[in-house]
Amino acid sequence: MEAKISSETIRKEIAQYLSRLWRYGLVLSHRRDVADDLVQATCVRALERAPQFIAGSRMDRWLFSILHSIWINEVRAQQIRRGQGFVDVDELVGEEHSDDPIWSNDVMKRVNRLPEAQRNTVFLVYVEELSYREAAVVLNVPVGTVMSRLATARLTLAQDTALQASSPQFKGEKT
């Protein structure tokens, strides 16, 4: 029989995952306030559903799944259309992030231009280092879909990089 963990144990352990959850919430929503709300809702749901967590399994993967599920439910409930209500990544780059390479990095801007499904998959696999199988569980899709999304995202990013490299503006030339 699989051992269950109490909500008190989860309460003690959840703090170490808050920054990672917030980062994923920001990737999904592109808004700090929404990321805050997603993390709070994730914590509440995790505590409410503590008996569902299996001892010995990865708590971070379980928490990511909860957060992703909350986000999907929120999107469905509000019928948010692509781009509506989102803050562009360029608007997030301010003085407080000017020294932080993750925010000023051109690669991050390119990744943010990917379709949402690809962007979320890239984040989970390459930033959070989930396996394809773990990302598939979080996203509630088959492993093959994760692999396809990553392949398409890599191709898009490679083409974007090649296009940028061949652009006169990229080379510092005037057009």
Side-chain angles (χ1 to χ4, degrees), residues 24-30 38 67-68 71 86 116 119-120:
Y24 185 44
L26 187 61
V27 165
L28 292 173
S29 68
H30 294 258
L38 285 169
L67 189 142
H68 185 80
W71 171 249
F86 292 129
E116 183 178 4
R119 184 178 60 242
N120 295 345

Side-chain angles (χ1 to χ4, degrees):
M1 181 170 209
E2 298 170 332
K4 305 292 182 188
I5 292 187
S6 71
S7 59
E8 188 57 37
T9 302
I10 288 180
R11 185 184 319 271
K12 290 177 184 174
E13 291 187 31
I14 207 166
Q16 67 185 323
Y17 301 109
L18 294 177
S19 63
R20 291 176 62 200
L21 290 169
W22 186 84
R23 186 171 57 196
Y24 185 44
L26 187 61
V27 165
L28 292 173
S29 68
H30 294 258
R31 292 185 46 193
R32 294 169 188 228
D33 60 325
V34 174
D36 290 341
D37 292 345
L38 285 169
V39 171
Q40 182 176 2
T42 299
C43 292
V44 168
R45 188 168 295 172
L47 293 171
E48 290 171 349
R49 299 185 180 177
Q52 294 177 0
F53 182 75
I54 308 300
S57 62
R58 304 252 335 237
M59 184 174 290
D60 58 343
R61 302 329 188 221
W62 182 63
L63 293 169
F64 281 132
S65 293
I66 292 171
L67 189 142
H68 185 80
S69 175
I70 292 168
W71 171 249
I72 293 299
N73 291 340
E74 184 67 25
V75 167
R76 287 180 183 146
Q78 294 184 7
Q79 299 178 351
I80 295 175
R81 301 291 182 239
R82 182 177 303 260
Q84 182 183 20
F86 292 129
V87 175
D88 185 51
V89 71
D90 293 330
E91 294 177 36
L92 291 176
V93 179
E95 290 180 27
E96 63 189 289
H97 295 296
S98 60
D99 296 328
D100 188 351
I102 190 73
W103 292 105
S104 59
N105 191 330
D106 187 49
V107 173
M108 191 64 183
K109 291 177 185 176
R110 291 178 187 171
V111 168
N112 276 318
R113 287 193 299 256
L114 291 171
E116 183 178 4
Q118 291 175 21
R119 184 178 60 242
N120 295 345
T121 305
V122 165
F123 177 81
L124 290 172
V125 172
Y126 295 123
V127 177
E128 289 300 331
E129 300 179 346
L130 272 66
S131 70
Y132 289 0
R133 188 173 316 285
E134 291 168 329
V137 169
V138 168
L139 297 169
N140 197 26
V141 297
V143 174
T145 301
V146 168
M147 295 168 65
S148 175
R149 287 178 182 175
L150 290 173
T152 304
R154 284 192 297 263
L155 180 61
T156 301
L157 291 171
Q159 289 171 342
D160 188 34
T161 301
L163 208 68
Q164 288 284 339
S166 67
S167 168
Q169 288 176 317
F170 185 78
K171 294 178 181 176
E173 301 170 8
K174 292 186 179 182
T175 55

